[in-house]
Amino acid sequence: VPAVYWIDDDGSAMGTPSLISGFVQGVQKPAKVTSNVTGMGIHFPLEYRQALAPDYARYMVALHRSPIPEGSLSSFVRPAVGTTEAADLIVNWWARTWAEDYYEEVPIATLTEHWLRRNAPVLDHLSVVHGDFRTGNFLFDEASRKITAVLDWELGYLGDRHGDLGWVVTDLYITREDGKPFHCGLFPSEDALIEAYEAAGGLAIDRNKLLWHKVFCTWKQLILSFGCALRAGDGLTHQDVLLSWLSGGGYTLSESLRRMLERHG
């Protein structure tokens, strides 16, 4: 991440809590590749995938394996290993967000919440989870094709490493090349992502936990689309057009949830 030089944690200098960091060189996508706004739809050609996929996995592993000493990151809730507390906390957080932000009832959101609570996985290792580790949220050098920075940490939390992988394998971040799907524009299958992650030294990935987090992350995306984006876009931000546009994804996400619940419910 960029080096941080000044922090105004109480807003006394800048008028609101702020930080000033250094500058990191890099781009979000190859120069000749198109994408939608927010980084969705970025697809990497083969020569970029070969360079970036191992780098991407290595940084994700480094984050998840980073030690979290007692007393550090004290602003974050620290769920207990060996319990379902990590899963319960994130479901509670997003259920509360949905309750505060929705405009109308969406039955699939309620059904998914119930499924998530019934099937909450046990945490086996506490990690820092980025929460949005996708294309558009990392920079890379165009010449060397090496990742230079990971951005947008505002959805980060302490919890289960499967959360970051689950976010990447949701339908929202699938791109296609000659009709073949790629996760995060980099990995041709969930197996390929897991293999790259474990080859980079990552802890073993449990397929059932990955499924739970894929359902959770799709549900979170639904809440962000049908709830947060519409609510914020209603006169609360200068990005009202962008956020209203994002809300349209909620219908596709509803169908993704229906299919997963029908198969695994």
Side-chain angles (χ1 to χ4, degrees):
V1 297
V4 176
Y5 295 112
W6 294 278
I7 299 177
D8 177 17
D9 56 359
D10 62 3
S12 58
M14 302 288 285
T16 188
S18 309
L19 60 83
I20 299 176
S21 71
F23 186 83
V24 177
Q25 295 282 353
V27 297
Q28 294 175 296
K29 61 185 181 182
K32 296 182 179 180
V33 169
T34 60
S35 73
N36 292 321
V37 294
T38 79
M40 290 187 293
I42 296 176
H43 181 72
F44 296 96
L46 177 60
E47 61 271 22
Y48 284 86
R49 295 197 300 269
Q50 291 174 335
L52 288 173
D55 221 21
Y56 175 94
R58 182 169 64 87
Y59 279 111
M60 186 183 284
V61 167
L63 175 65
H64 295 164
R65 295 192 70 112
S66 294
I68 313 171
E70 289 291 338
S72 64
L73 300 177
S74 58
S75 296
F76 291 83
V77 177
R78 191 183 185 105
V81 173
T83 73
T84 62
E85 187 178 2
D88 296 336
L89 283 167
I90 55 177
V91 172
N92 288 345
W93 176 280
W94 287 97
R96 172 69 178 271
T97 301
W98 177 242
E100 292 181 351
D101 281 0
Y102 78 90
Y103 276 90
E104 61 183 14
E105 296 286 353
V106 179
I108 194 68
T110 303
L111 290 170
T112 304
E113 180 186 343
H114 291 171
W115 185 92
L116 290 168
R117 293 189 186 282
R118 288 196 308 271
N119 296 280
V122 172
L123 180 67
D124 67 337
H125 177 86
L126 184 67
S127 296
V128 176
V129 182
H130 182 280
D132 197 10
F133 209 113
R134 57 170 174 82
T135 50
N137 280 350
F138 64 84
L139 303 180
F140 64 94
D141 179 77
E142 184 80 47
S144 66
R145 296 173 187 167
K146 303 295 290 182
I147 291 177
T148 58
V150 179
L151 309 175
D152 284 8
W153 292 79
E154 67 273 13
L155 291 177
Y157 58 94
L158 300 184
D160 193 324
R161 64 191 178 278
H162 293 82
D164 276 334
L165 284 85
W167 187 257
V168 172
V169 298
T170 58
D171 292 345
L172 188 64
Y173 298 118
I174 287 178
T175 62
R176 296 184 184 276
E177 182 178 294
D178 297 327
K180 183 177 181 180
F182 285 81
H183 295 294
C184 206
L186 291 169
F187 302 96
S189 65
E190 290 187 16
D191 288 341
L193 172 60
I194 293 170
E195 289 169 7
Y197 182 87
E198 293 180 345
L203 298 170
I205 295 301
D206 182 305
R207 300 298 181 123
N208 289 327
K209 290 182 179 180
L210 180 60
L211 169 64
W212 188 92
H213 281 275
K214 181 178 181 179
V215 174
F216 166 75
C217 289
T218 306
W219 179 64
K220 181 168 74 170
Q221 291 164 355
L222 180 79
I223 292 168
L224 287 165
S225 298
F226 277 158
C228 307
L230 280 175
R231 187 66 65 180
D234 189 13
L236 299 178
T237 172
H238 66 286
Q239 293 187 311
D240 52 345
V241 174
L242 167 62
L243 293 175
S244 298
W245 177 84
L246 286 174
S247 68
Y251 299 100
T252 301
L253 296 165
S254 296
E255 177 62 8
S256 294
L257 287 172
R258 185 195 67 78
R259 290 179 179 179
M260 286 189 287
L261 294 185
E262 189 174 75
R263 182 177 180 184
H264 303 287

